[in-house]
């Protein structure tokens, strides 16, 4: 009798526990459904971008951008209210992945921070102009990593591994490597809304499916496109100190003032990891291309190819997190370097300053 | 002659197991039904090959192992860790599911078989595998059990599986949250129905062998009900799918072309890992489960059976095979200790796939995931773990290998656990029991390079105090070359007398006294008659 009671008790506990979890799941899903149905508070950049592209619910959609640039009035299948909200949320995620401008990251950004280590990375840092960087005339820019152009090549073969990567998996690579984080489930709203936004971008820009547009990626800078002086750490450091340091910090750890991000980290714990293709020792041509086309903000295309390679070489030599494939030893080493080096460097810098109070003025004074 | 002996053994096995034939067939059917979802899941989601690879491994791999391996609880077939290793190794070489990829998968399997054959041919290599101790194995079992639960979470919630190599615990947590937040509620319902039915049926002693079958049946029925009530568009349940293209045998050839050579060389380290993983699991599982079943099988036979099977399987389009902890656990729990059950599981599976493909196709994946979770939970058994916590060292080894499965991987767990276990035993040996009575220095334990410093410290203290010292090493059971050299040097110092009472009159006196005590002690003593100790002096 007691064994029977024991068994019934055991099963009852299990059933209650599983039932509780099921109830929790139902509650969580209802909560998600609520968020999907509620109106979206757009970030300023998104409000401007989506207004410019005339995103409203309706039976057909007509792109103002296309009308202005080609003179053609092309009507495509329109968007439902649900679609519009998904596109708006997607735009918000691209513009402000960390939810710095949101009331609640969980509700407005689908918990995006859960999948990102560090507090700096936002999609917008690489995919500038909320994934659609244009000049004053509205021309799409070379080397801007345009998301609309990315969607029309949605499932593409990876250049480096030869694997067929669905669009969602390409997004996951961003989460794993560029934000040094974890990938969301492929069915997560976080992925779906960003996909919705990129699809909308390609429709608004009138891009053709299957066409490889140049602005999808970065025009890469191999060593052969330079004066062939070799990539130089010292030169790179000098240029970095002169042109990058005041936003990205002396150690490349980024600058944050009162919770406001001045410049994101390009090295250190908040940066991309060693498995990212922005890492010079993995792919040596992409980061220089990105720097030449997109940096410094407001003065793009002012650096020479050689300078871009030097800067890329320099910041890739600063310690940064290891990726999945580097193994635990490299990961430990990098973590140690990231923690130990900055205070040591600050110490030596302070010592140098005491010794030579104004090193830059010294040669002038001698002269 | 040997073949005749084998035949004779088969006949004996058969005549012994014949009376329980129907029971064994039943166990075989259950095993087949449990293996099927694992085979499909492992090949598709872990190894990146079509489902028939796993199914053939579950048919031919199990059959070969059952024929070659005399253990009565051994169940081969596809394996989680091995499938995952295949996927990870081949990911950089070719796109999954392609013809080339499958060719490489077969090549990898063959290389693994050949490497395992080396472990059979070179005896000491095979013996090395025995250095994996029981706490290590139990730690691994618990780790794998937890791992199986984590791994099936997403399938349980009707979500796509995360295949990337990431920190498994984090993946588990993410998957759990994903199942709660975006899981398919219909899939979760099917999984829960299966799980609860299984657990309830398990509580009835007479129905225990049927629990998994009944569970899957309930899950399938519920999924069919959902299908008809709501339609596939709404319920969105993933099922095993069409297996009708699978025949009796599907011959295949590993890829060994000139162009493929660089890639084949690149996957060699993966092949070594695969071979070791398979053998470690086989040897560990055999030892563990044979002990549970009250038997013993030489691990060399298991190595031979694994190596031979893995050399043959790549020609039958199949994944490599090794022991499966969870299925062997099931064989044991179903109370069947017979190779008949295991052979019949392979044949059942073949029949099922050949004739009942449409029925199998209707089985929902969430139900399969629920079964795998249940198996995982059953592998974590407090009764088996408890003894390890009585001794601190065992507890440390157990916890270390358990955590290593979760934080590193299976291979890491074996290495960490074994290194700890070996280190502990070496530490033990390096601290012999030394006593100083008057000027007699008595050493009980090992006299070798590790323990010499401890002994030397005591010796020098003694020699500083007294003029002469007697070193009594009659209770040393191992002295290495360094120890002998040290003893010789100590003897040369003139102040030292070496005492090994076994060679003196004392020894005879002891033996006479022991003989008077009774046969129990003398029997042991004379039987052990330390050959090694005498040879050294």
């Amino acid at each position: 009798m007691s064994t029977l009671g024991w068994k019934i008790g055991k099963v009852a506990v299990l059933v209650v526990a599983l039932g509780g979890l099921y109830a929790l799941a139902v509650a969580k899903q209802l909560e998600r459904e609520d968020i999907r149905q509620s109106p979206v508070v757009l970030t300023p950049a998104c409000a401007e971008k989506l207004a410019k592209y005339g995103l409203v619910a309706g039976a057909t959609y007509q792109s103002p951008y296309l009308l202005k640039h080609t003179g053609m009035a092309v009507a495509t299948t329109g968007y439902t209210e649900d679609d519009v909200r998904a596109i708006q949320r997607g735009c918000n995620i691209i513009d402000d992945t960390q939810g710095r401008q949101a009331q609640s990251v969980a509700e407005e950004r689908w918990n995006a921070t859960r999948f990102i280590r560090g507090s700096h990375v936002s999609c917008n840092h690489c995919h500038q102009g909320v994934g659609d960087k244009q000049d004053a005339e509205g021309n799409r820019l070379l080397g801007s990593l345009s998301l609309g152009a990315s969607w029309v090549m949605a499932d593409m073969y990876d250049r480096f591994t030869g694997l067929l990567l669905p669009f969602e998996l390409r997004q996951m690579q961003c989460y794993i490597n560029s934000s040094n984080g974890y990938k969301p489930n492929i069915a997560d709203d976080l992925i779906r809304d960003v996909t919705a936004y990129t699809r909308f971008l390609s429709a608004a820009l009138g891009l053709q499916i299957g066409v490889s547009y140049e602005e999808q990626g970065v025009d890469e800078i191999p060593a052969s496109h330079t004066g062939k002086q070799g990539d130089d750490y010292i030169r790179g450091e000098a240029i970095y100190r002169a042109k990058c340091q005041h936003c990205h910090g002396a150690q490349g750890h980024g600058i944050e003032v009162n919770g406001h991000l001045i410049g994101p980290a390009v090295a250190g714990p908040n940066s991309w990891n060693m498995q990212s293709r922005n890492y010079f020792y993995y792919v040596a041509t992409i980061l220089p291309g990105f720097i030449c086309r997109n940096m410094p903000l407001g003065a793009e295309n002012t650096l020479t190819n050689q300078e871009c390679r030097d800067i890329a070489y320099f910041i890739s030599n600063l310690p940064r997190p290891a990726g999945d494939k580097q193994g635990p030893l490299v990961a430990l080493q990098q973590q140690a370097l990231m923690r130990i080096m900055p205070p040591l460097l600050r110490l030596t810098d302070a010592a140098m300053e005491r010794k030579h109070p104004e090193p830059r003025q010294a040669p002038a004074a001698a002269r | 002659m040997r073949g005749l002996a084998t035949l004779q053994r088969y006949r004996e096995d058969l005549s012994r197991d014949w009376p329980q034939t129907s029971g064994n067939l039943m166990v075989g059917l259950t095993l087949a039904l449990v293996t099927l979802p694992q085979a499909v899941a492992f090949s598709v989601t872990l190894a990146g090959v079509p489902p028939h690879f796993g199914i053939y491994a579950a048919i031919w791999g199990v059959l070969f192992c059952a024929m070659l391996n005399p253990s009565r609880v051994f169940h081969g077939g596809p394996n989680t860790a091995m499938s995952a290793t295949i996927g990870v190794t081949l990911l950089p070489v070719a796109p999954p599911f392609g013809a080339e990829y499958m060719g490489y998968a077969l090549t990898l399997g063959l290389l693994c078989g050949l490497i395992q054959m080396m472990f059979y041919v070179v005896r000491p290599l095979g013996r090395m595998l025995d250095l994996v101790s029981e706490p290590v194995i139990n730690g691994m079992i618990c780790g794998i059990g937890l791992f199986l639960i984590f791994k099936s979470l997403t399938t349980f919630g009707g979500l796509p599986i995360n295949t990337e190599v990431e920190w498994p615990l984090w993946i588990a947590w993410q998957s759990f949250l994903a199942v709660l937040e975006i899981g398919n509620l219909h899939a979760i319902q099917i999984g829960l129905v299966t799980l609860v039915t299984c657990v309830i049926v398990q509580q009835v002693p007479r129905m225990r062998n049927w629990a998994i079958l009944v569970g899957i049946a309930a899950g399938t029925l519920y999924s069919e009900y959902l299908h008809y009530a709501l339609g596939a568009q709404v319920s969105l349940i993933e099922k095993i799918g069409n297996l009708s293209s699978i025949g009796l045998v599907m011959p295949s050839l590993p890829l060994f072309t000139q162009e493929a050579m660089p890639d084949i060389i690149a996957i060699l380290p993966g092949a070594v890992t695969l071979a070791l993983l398979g053998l470690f699991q086989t040897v560990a599982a055999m030892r563990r489960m044979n002990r549970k079943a009250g038997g013993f099988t030489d691990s060399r036979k298991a190595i031979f059976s694994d190596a031979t099977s893995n050399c043959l399987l790549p020609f039958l389009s199949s994944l490599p095979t090794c022991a499966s902890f969870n299925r062997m656990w099931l064989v044991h729990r179903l109370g069947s200790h017979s190779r008949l059950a295991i052979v019949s599981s392979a044949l059942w599976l073949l029949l099922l796939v050949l004739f009942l493909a449409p029925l199998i196709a209707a089985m929902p994946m969430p139900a399969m995931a629920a079964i795998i979770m249940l198996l995982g939970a059953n592998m974590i058994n407090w009764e088996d773990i408890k003894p390890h916590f009585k001794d601190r060292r065992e507890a440390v080894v157990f916890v270390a290998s358990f955590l290593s499965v979760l934080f590193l991987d299976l291979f890491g767990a074996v290495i960490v656990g074994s290194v700890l276990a070996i280190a502990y035993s070496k530490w033990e040996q390096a601290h012999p029991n030394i006593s100083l009575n008057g000027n007699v220095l008595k050493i009980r334990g090992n006299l070798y390079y590790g323990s010499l410093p401890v002994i030397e410290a005591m010796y020098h203290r003694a020699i500083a105090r007294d003029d002469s010292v007697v070193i009594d090493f009659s209770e040393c059971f191992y002295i290495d070359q360094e120890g002998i050299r040290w003893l010789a040097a100590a003897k040369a110092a003139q102040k030292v007398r070496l005492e090994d009472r076994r060679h003196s009159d004392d020894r005879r006196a002891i033996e006479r006294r022991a003989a008077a005590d009774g046969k129990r002690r003398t029997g042991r003593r004379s039987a052990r008659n330390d050959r090694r100790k005498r040879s050294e002096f």
Side-chain angles (χ1 to χ4, degrees):
Chain A
M1 188 58 213
S2 67
T3 55
L4 185 67
W6 169 239
K7 276 180 178 175
I8 289 174
K10 223 166 49 172
V11 173
V13 166
L14 184 78
V15 168
V16 166
L18 289 176
L21 281 179
Y22 182 74
L24 187 63
V26 171
K28 284 272 179 196
Q29 300 219 345
L30 286 177
E31 197 179 302
R32 279 228 160 192
E33 197 51 43
D34 265 0
I35 300 173
R36 286 190 198 111
Q37 298 303 331
S38 52
V40 183
V41 183
L42 287 170
T43 61
C46 278
E48 188 196 338
K49 172 91 30 191
L50 295 178
K52 189 173 123 197
Y53 289 150
L55 174 69
V56 277
T60 58
Y61 169 73
Q62 208 167 4
S63 165
Y65 178 91
L66 217 52
L67 190 66
K68 186 181 157 202
H69 282 258
T70 63
M72 287 192 299
V74 184
T76 53
T77 316
Y79 299 97
T80 64
E81 293 285 351
D82 283 348
D83 292 341
V84 169
R85 281 194 297 272
I87 292 166
Q88 289 173 334
R89 285 193 302 264
C91 185
N92 276 347
I93 291 165
I94 297 291
D95 186 35
D96 176 31
T97 317
Q98 299 274 354
R100 282 169 184 268
Q101 301 170 46
Q103 296 289 326
S104 145
V105 187
E107 285 176 20
E108 294 181 44
R109 304 288 184 267
W110 295 127
N111 286 311
T113 43
R114 195 194 281 167
F115 307 102
I116 300 175
R117 289 200 194 95
S119 58
H120 286 194
V121 178
S122 173
C123 308
N124 196 33
H125 292 160
C126 296
H127 305 279
Q128 290 184 354
V130 206
D132 178 34
K133 194 180 187 185
Q134 296 171 358
D135 61 11
E137 287 83 50
N139 298 313
R140 303 191 299 276
L141 294 172
L142 190 63
S144 65
L145 296 162
S146 160
L147 287 180
S150 185
W151 163 256
V152 293
M153 290 290 284
D155 300 352
M156 58 186 280
Y157 286 98
D158 187 289
R159 211 178 82 195
F160 299 93
T161 59
L163 303 180
L164 179 67
L165 286 183
F167 192 64
E168 289 80 3
L169 249 60
R170 290 167 67 191
Q171 288 185 46
M172 288 181 186
Q173 288 199 332
C174 287
Y175 282 101
I176 298 171
N177 299 324
S178 304
S179 74
N180 184 34
Y182 314 95
K183 62 183 184 186
N185 193 289
I186 202 165
D188 202 317
D189 296 71
L190 187 62
I191 298 274
R192 286 210 316 221
D193 288 352
V194 168
T195 307
Y197 173 65
T198 54
R199 282 185 74 157
F200 169 71
L201 272 186
S202 72
L205 298 170
L207 304 179
Q208 302 296 306
I209 292 285
V211 178
S212 176
Y213 292 92
E214 271 182 322
E215 61 266 27
Q216 182 191 185
V218 158
D219 54 326
E220 301 174 26
I221 299 179
S224 58
H225 287 194
T226 64
K228 299 188 184 168
Q229 296 170 295
D231 310 308
D232 195 306
Y233 184 92
I234 302 294
R235 277 203 309 266
E237 181 174 15
I239 308 165
Y240 182 86
R241 297 272 171 258
K243 299 194 170 173
C244 321
Q245 185 175 349
H246 57 278
C247 289
H248 293 294
Q251 313 277 333
H253 285 205
I255 295 180
E256 207 175 345
V257 179
N258 299 331
H260 183 69
L261 196 63
I262 308 289
V266 293
N270 287 319
S271 175
W272 60 85
N273 69 25
M274 294 166 79
Q275 197 59 36
S276 162
R277 277 147 205 198
N278 272 348
Y279 182 55
F280 196 87
Y281 288 97
Y282 185 22
V283 182
T285 52
I286 290 181
L287 185 57
F290 178 83
I291 294 173
C292 266
R293 296 290 159 256
N294 299 294
M295 289 286 141
L297 282 184
E300 291 94 339
N301 297 311
T302 54
L303 295 167
T304 66
N305 286 353
Q306 183 65 56
E307 285 173 330
C308 293
R309 276 190 73 97
D310 291 340
I311 296 171
Y313 186 68
F314 168 68
I315 58 179
S316 293
N317 272 302
L318 299 175
R320 67 180 60 254
D324 288 337
K325 305 211 165 55
Q326 270 81 29
L329 289 182
V330 179
L332 265 178
Q333 180 196 355
Q334 293 294 320
Q335 287 296 329
L337 281 176
M338 286 191 294
R339 302 283 180 271
I340 296 165
M341 286 309 284
L344 279 183
L345 281 176
R346 268 199 294 278
L347 272 179
T348 51
D349 281 357
M352 287 295 282
E353 223 148 88
R354 272 200 302 278
K355 220 170 171 184
H356 314 283
E358 281 174 46
R360 276 199 199 127
Q361 301 299 320
R367 194 169 45 197
Chain B
M1 278 301 103
R2 211 169 151 195
L4 261 181
T6 313
L7 274 181
Q8 181 70 22
R9 211 172 52 230
Y10 283 151
R11 216 178 61 89
E12 278 167 15
D13 275 8
L14 204 63
S15 58
R16 190 190 52 234
D17 298 334
W18 198 248
Q20 297 105 34
T21 307
S22 63
N24 283 332
L25 288 180
M26 201 54 238
V27 172
L29 181 59
T30 315
L31 266 177
L33 281 163
V34 170
T35 318
L36 181 68
Q38 294 186 0
V40 174
F42 292 172
S43 46
V44 176
T45 59
L46 297 180
V49 289
H52 68 253
F53 273 74
I55 290 175
Y56 281 128
I59 295 171
W60 300 117
V62 169
L63 207 55
F64 290 159
C65 283
M67 303 302 252
L68 293 169
N69 192 332
S71 163
R72 280 185 287 137
V73 285
F74 191 90
H75 199 273
N79 175 278
T80 340
M82 283 183 103
S83 308
T85 310
I86 292 176
V88 172
T89 310
L90 294 186
L91 201 64
V93 178
F97 298 106
E100 256 200 338
Y101 186 91
M102 290 197 267
Y104 281 124
L106 296 172
T107 310
L108 193 61
L110 184 59
L111 288 175
C112 156
L114 292 173
I115 293 166
Q116 290 182 335
M117 200 43 108
M118 212 167 72
F119 273 78
Y120 176 71
V121 175
V122 185
R123 260 167 195 273
L125 270 184
R127 192 74 182 79
M128 292 271 277
L129 297 172
D130 290 336
L131 295 182
V132 185
S133 68
E134 201 169 71
V136 177
I137 299 167
N138 274 342
M140 271 169 64
I141 292 180
C142 291
I144 296 171
L146 217 55
F147 188 72
L148 283 184
I149 296 175
F150 294 158
K151 201 79 195 165
S152 4
L153 264 174
T154 42
T155 316
F156 187 85
L159 291 170
I161 294 172
N162 277 327
T163 46
E164 193 99 4
V165 198
E166 285 174 59
W167 188 30
L169 278 187
W170 185 257
I171 289 292
W173 177 237
Q174 298 278 2
S175 306
F176 177 68
L177 290 178
V179 168
L180 284 187
E181 287 173 351
I182 53 172
N184 178 356
L185 284 179
H186 303 301
I188 297 177
Q189 287 164 9
I190 293 175
L192 288 178
V193 165
T194 313
L195 201 60
V196 171
T197 314
C198 254
V199 172
I200 291 176
V201 176
Q202 261 184 358
Q203 307 304 319
V204 185
R206 214 187 302 163
M207 298 284 285
R208 234 169 73 176
N209 296 4
W210 297 72
I212 288 171
L213 270 183
V214 175
I216 290 181
T220 311
L221 281 177
Y222 185 66
S223 120
E224 288 303 298
Y225 160 74
L226 283 180
H227 183 87
Y228 289 113
L230 306 170
Q233 297 285 333
V234 179
S235 68
L236 289 174
I237 297 301
E238 194 189 351
K239 297 174 179 175
I240 283 193
N242 197 350
L243 297 174
S244 58
S245 63
I246 294 177
L248 192 63
V249 182
M250 196 184 276
S252 65
L253 272 180
L255 189 71
F256 269 113
T257 58
Q258 177 102 38
E259 303 86 72
M261 277 308 152
D263 285 334
I264 291 173
I265 291 168
I267 60 176
L268 262 177
V272 175
T273 313
L274 197 64
L276 281 175
L277 260 182
L279 287 184
F280 270 133
Q281 289 189 77
T282 295
V283 169
M286 281 252 307
R287 201 158 71 180
R288 185 81 191 80
M289 298 314 292
N290 277 336
R291 242 173 241 172
K292 256 194 157 348
F296 174 76
T297 312
D298 187 2
S299 57
R300 257 172 77 77
K301 288 180 176 155
I303 297 173
F304 176 73
S305 95
D306 261 29
T308 316
S309 312
N310 285 339
C311 287
L312 291 175
L313 288 176
F315 298 96
L316 296 167
S317 32
S318 153
L319 291 175
T321 171
C322 81
S324 156
F325 269 123
N326 62 54
R327 294 194 294 273
M328 283 168 78
W329 200 265
L330 189 69
V331 175
H332 174 66
R333 278 202 45 168
L334 296 182
S336 155
H337 297 149
S338 148
R339 288 155 84 189
L340 199 63
I342 291 153
V343 171
S344 76
S345 89
L347 298 178
W348 272 118
L349 190 56
L350 190 60
L351 289 177
L352 283 176
V353 173
L354 286 181
F355 297 109
L356 294 177
L359 230 139
I360 295 171
M363 289 179 184
M365 288 309 273
M368 301 292 167
I371 297 299
I372 292 184
M373 284 166 99
L374 200 64
L375 284 177
N378 282 341
M379 281 166 73
I380 303 168
N381 190 355
W382 180 239
E383 292 303 310
D384 290 316
I385 303 170
K386 210 162 52 180
H388 298 319
F389 285 98
K390 292 197 175 124
D391 177 47
R392 205 184 61 198
R393 290 176 181 178
E394 276 210 347
V396 168
V397 171
F398 171 83
V399 170
S401 67
F402 171 71
L403 291 180
S404 307
V405 173
L406 301 178
F407 286 91
L408 306 170
D409 50 21
L410 274 184
F411 200 63
V414 170
I415 299 300
V416 168
S418 305
V419 164
L420 266 179
I422 292 170
Y424 267 140
S425 73
K426 273 277 163 202
W427 186 258
E428 179 85 39
Q429 289 167 12
H431 294 84
N433 185 352
I434 312 167
S435 59
L436 189 59
N437 274 336
N439 69 341
V440 179
L441 185 71
K442 182 156 181 140
I443 305 160
R444 296 184 193 81
N446 289 328
L447 193 54
Y448 81 116
Y449 62 89
S451 61
L452 264 182
V454 184
I455 297 165
E456 273 180 287
M458 188 72 101
Y459 163 75
H460 282 286
R461 214 177 305 150
I463 206 126
R465 207 179 58 192
D466 298 315
D467 263 359
S468 69
V469 174
V470 179
I471 300 180
D472 175 0
F473 52 93
S474 55
E475 285 183 36
C476 279
F477 30 81
Y478 172 63
I479 305 180
D480 77 342
Q481 294 301 321
E482 201 172 324
I484 293 171
R485 283 198 295 274
W486 179 74
L487 283 176
K491 181 100 194 278
Q494 302 291 330
K495 287 179 184 170
V496 173
R497 191 160 65 87
L498 299 183
E499 185 97 357
D500 181 6
R501 287 199 194 132
R502 287 165 304 173
H503 292 276
S504 63
D505 293 338
D506 295 359
R507 172 179 160 237
R508 286 187 202 117
I510 289 172
E511 282 190 350
R512 234 175 285 130
R513 218 179 307 140
D517 275 359
K519 271 197 173 164
R520 189 173 48 84
R521 275 175 70 192
T522 36
R524 278 230 191 114
R525 286 250 167 128
S526 54
R528 231 198 295 155
N529 201 6
D530 314 66
R531 183 160 38 89
R532 197 197 285 143
K533 276 182 285 185
R534 190 136 2 122
S535 72
E536 280 167 3
F537 299 96

